Amino acid sequence: MRPRPIQGTGMRSIVSFILLLHMGFMVCQGANPCCSEPCQNRGFCTAMGSDSYECDCTRTGYYGQNCTTPEFLTWVKVSLKPTPNTVHYMLTHFKGLWNIVNSLSFLRNAIMRYVLTSRAHLIDSPPIYNADYGYKSWEAYSNLSYYTRTLPPVPHDCPTPMGVAGKNELPDVKVLAEKLLMRRKFIPDPQRTSLMFAFFAQHFTHQFFKTDQKKGPAFTTAFNHGVDLSHIYGQGLDRQHKLRLFKDGKLRYQILDGEVYPPTVSEVQVDMHYPPHIPESRRFAVGHEAFGLVPGLMMYATIWLREHNRVCDILKQEHPDWDDERLFQTSRLILIGETIKIVIEDYVQHLSGYHLKLKFDPELLFNERFQYQNRISSEFNTLYHWHPLMPDVFHIQDEVYNYQQFLFNTSMLADYGINSLVESFTKQIAGQVKDNN
Ligand code: HEM
Ligand SMILES: *[C@@H]1O[C@H](CO)[C@@H](O)[C@H](O)[C@H]1NC(C)=O
Ligand SMILES: *[C@@H]1O[C@H](CO)[C@@H](O)[C@H](O)[C@H]1NC(C)=O
Ligand SMILES: *[C@@H]1O[C@H](CO)[C@@H](O)[C@H](O)[C@H]1NC(C)=O
């Protein structure tokens, strides 16, 4: 499965970012001729000395010096194919028609199959580039410490950081953040996205967006590159084992006010990031080290912990002869399936705004040629910084909390209980992600 940022989200900031850098436009001679990205339609540029280049147009469907002339079949396809905007318009209008499509499983399956395969074809699989390799290499393919790059990095010997466009130096990050990223006014999301959704997004994506703070932004510590639920079970066997009860397949937990919560750090001895003032009794330990940051994350961590143990109980009833290991492993697979089902049928469904009823069914692809491997890209991570979803203050029951009161507030979890938090986060509308300035 390839979770993709939905078209348009966060795009505005990126576009304005690029426009800003274009303002100091300059052209340079004598540099790597690939810096101006002359090859179109995903043709591959190779410099031939400092004043000429070659575009490899193989299988792009185009030919010519810059891969700009369409082959006949490409021309036919491009002429007939509706633009992405048209496709999006059709999918988000004509509700009556879609209701009919949704009720005819043959049609719904066929369209869902098309959605999956056409999206998958937009990216290279197996992946090709990373921050240090702008050409294909064994290293870029096999070194899973890197995020992959959907687009090749700008060569090092270019006149500007963006190739040939923009100023010689990137702008000061602080200025950039204040000019382009900082929100001046909260705008409620027009699709009425809730905080419950926002925290789901943060919780779900942090299993595969785990930038390696030691090695730098090109690197990830989430070496599985996908939906492995390492944010629930911990990355690596050592952390997983510390979080496990080793009885009936279950995860370790504690009971507070008669309800199940994650165990404490002192109990299970796993590393978690908490500021010094958090008391030991309120340092919850879960799969992801950073989930103490926001009560919304710890809420989801608790829900999934309870779900894992619930599934274990059911499996044990069905299979009294299964040992702890088998109950644990099978429950984990079931939770992965549940997660993907929720992500496609509720989460992406909401984001897309499509009237087509999306479907998670692995069998849709059994007769298709499909690459099941996945690699998380830097671009995906950059676009998924949906921080504008966050409100100015948090409304929980009848109280209002600012950031200082809310962040790292691990008391809140058991003070309110999961039901209250779910209810409050479901009621509060999140911020609009695009066009915040
Ligand atoms: C109160 C809520 C939140 C706080 C305080 C917060 C804070 C942070 C901080 C300090 C970082 C590291 C710096 C960076 O990479 O930009 C970060 C990263 C990130 N945040 Fe948030 N964030 C919050 C909510 C969210 C939400 C709702 C999303 C939705 C998807 C999100 C998505 C991300 C992503 C994708 C990263 C990059 C992670 C990585 O590469 O390791 N954040 N956040
Ligand atoms: C290819 O691109 C280069 C640089 O943009 C341009 O000078 C050249 O005329 C283009 N060639 C063709 C055949 O369009
Ligand atoms: C991946 O590349 C990085 C940077 O070159 C290197 O430090 C690391 O050892 C490599 N990992 C493996 C498994 O080769
Ligand atoms: C944390 O939340 C509780 C409510 O659950 C509140 O009483 C407390 O003041 C908050 N802590 C801080 C440091 O603001």
Side-chain angles (χ1 to χ4, degrees):
M1 150 38 253
R2 288 162 214 286
R4 309 286 306 168
I6 295 306
Q7 189 194 18
T9 324
M11 227 23 212
R12 245 338 208 284
S13 315
I14 301 296
V15 170
S16 9
F17 172 69
I18 289 163
L19 284 178
L20 186 87
L21 291 166
H22 263 89
M23 293 193 304
F25 201 93
M26 58 175 284
V27 186
C28 227
Q29 264 120 23
N32 180 343
C34 289
C35 291
S36 62
E37 298 181 21
C39 309
Q40 306 301 302
N41 298 303
R42 293 178 151 203
F44 183 78
C45 185
T46 304
M48 312 292 277
S50 65
D51 48 9
S52 75
Y53 63 89
E54 234 172 55
C55 294
D56 184 350
C57 313
T58 309
R59 276 189 306 277
T60 59
Y62 293 81
Y63 60 94
Q65 193 191 358
N66 302 324
C67 313
T68 44
T69 317
E71 290 163 7
F72 178 69
L73 261 180
T74 307
W75 179 81
V76 172
K77 264 190 233 160
V78 169
S79 317
L80 292 178
K81 203 177 168 187
T83 66
N85 279 343
T86 309
V87 173
H88 187 80
Y89 186 88
M90 296 195 306
L91 280 159
T92 52
H93 292 76
F94 317 112
K95 189 155 198 303
L97 214 66
W98 286 112
N99 284 343
I100 298 169
V101 169
N102 292 337
S103 64
L104 301 169
S105 64
F106 175 76
L107 248 185
R108 182 186 171 206
N109 288 351
I111 298 174
M112 190 64 210
R113 196 175 292 121
Y114 175 76
V115 168
L116 292 169
T117 51
S118 62
R119 289 276 169 158
H121 282 139
L122 292 176
I123 54 167
D124 291 309
S125 184
I128 300 177
Y129 310 115
N130 67 31
D132 291 330
Y133 291 90
Y135 51 89
K136 66 182 62 161
S137 67
W138 177 259
E139 183 62 19
Y141 164 72
S142 66
N143 190 329
L144 300 176
S145 307
Y146 283 94
Y147 286 115
T148 188
R149 287 278 294 255
T150 310
L151 298 173
V154 176
H156 291 302
D157 51 354
C158 290
T160 75
M162 299 200 62
V164 293
K167 299 187 177 175
N168 286 327
E169 273 176 53
L170 289 173
D172 181 59
V173 265
K174 238 181 130 185
V175 173
L176 199 64
E178 276 172 19
K179 273 215 155 98
L180 290 168
L181 300 178
M182 198 175 78
R183 178 166 76 201
R184 271 161 265 284
K185 188 173 174 294
F186 175 84
I187 305 169
D189 178 53
Q191 291 190 74
R192 296 184 56 77
T193 299
S194 69
L195 279 196
M196 194 64 188
F197 176 98
F199 291 131
F200 186 94
Q202 189 181 12
H203 181 265
F204 171 71
T205 60
H206 279 48
Q207 73 189 291
F208 47 73
F209 294 141
K210 289 170 64 170
T211 299
D212 189 328
Q213 301 300 335
K214 284 186 208 111
K215 283 199 183 129
F219 297 95
T220 176
T221 58
F223 46 73
N224 275 323
H225 288 263
V227 184
D228 61 352
L229 267 48
S230 58
H231 60 330
I232 298 172
Y233 300 108
Q235 186 138 299
L237 259 192
D238 183 49
R239 192 176 177 93
Q240 181 206 107
H241 283 180
K242 286 177 174 171
L243 292 167
R244 280 173 61 177
L245 189 62
F246 285 108
K247 186 170 181 298
D248 301 339
K250 291 188 177 180
L251 290 170
R252 296 178 74 170
Y253 60 93
Q254 61 173 319
I255 308 271
L256 297 170
D257 296 330
E259 302 216 324
V260 170
Y261 290 96
T264 58
V265 168
S266 55
E267 242 181 284
V268 298
Q269 297 295 319
V270 302
D271 188 39
M272 290 290 292
H273 306 325
Y274 286 108
H277 72 269
I278 306 294
E280 213 162 90
S281 65
R282 285 293 174 269
R283 290 175 179 243
F284 295 110
V286 297
H288 195 297
E289 299 86 339
F291 279 3
L293 174 67
V294 199
L297 289 172
M298 205 44 94
M299 170 196 72
Y300 273 111
T302 308
I303 290 171
W304 283 113
L305 167 73
R306 292 177 184 180
E307 177 62 7
H308 176 89
N309 288 354
R310 184 189 74 90
V311 171
C312 286
D313 280 336
I314 294 171
L315 282 177
K316 191 180 157 72
Q317 254 182 349
E318 294 286 323
H319 303 280
D321 54 319
W322 281 9
D323 64 1
D324 166 76
E325 185 67 14
R326 187 155 192 191
L327 289 167
F328 171 82
Q329 298 295 350
T330 308
S331 295
R332 181 175 187 161
L333 282 184
I334 289 170
L335 263 73
I336 291 174
E338 290 178 348
T339 299
I340 301 176
K341 183 157 174 87
I342 293 168
V343 166
I344 293 182
E345 298 190 0
D346 295 301
Y347 179 86
V348 175
Q349 182 79 61
H350 170 79
L351 278 174
S352 68
Y354 292 177
H355 293 313
L356 166 70
K357 199 167 186 299
L358 300 182
K359 185 176 183 183
F360 168 54
D361 180 359
E363 288 191 27
L364 287 174
L365 296 170
F366 281 7
N367 290 321
E368 301 287 314
R369 279 184 288 173
F370 191 80
Q371 292 271 1
Y372 280 92
Q373 57 174 302
N374 197 37
R375 200 75 65 93
I376 301 299
S377 71
S378 290
E379 291 96 329
F380 188 28
N381 186 345
T382 303
L383 287 171
Y384 231 122
H385 280 66
W386 291 351
H387 295 114
L389 283 171
M390 287 294 104
D392 288 335
V393 292
F394 298 86
H395 295 267
I396 300 171
Q397 304 273 66
D398 299 325
E399 312 282 338
V400 180
Y401 296 97
N402 62 26
Y403 277 81
Q404 212 181 351
Q405 296 166 312
F406 190 70
L407 294 187
F408 285 114
N409 191 329
T410 51
S411 311
M412 212 168 241
L413 197 69
D415 283 355
Y416 284 101
I418 300 299
N419 286 350
S420 285
L421 290 178
V422 169
E423 199 184 318
S424 301
F425 293 150
T426 304
K427 277 189 193 147
Q428 190 172 352
I429 304 289
Q432 180 179 265
V433 171
K434 57 174 180 175
D435 292 338
N436 270 289
N437 288 300

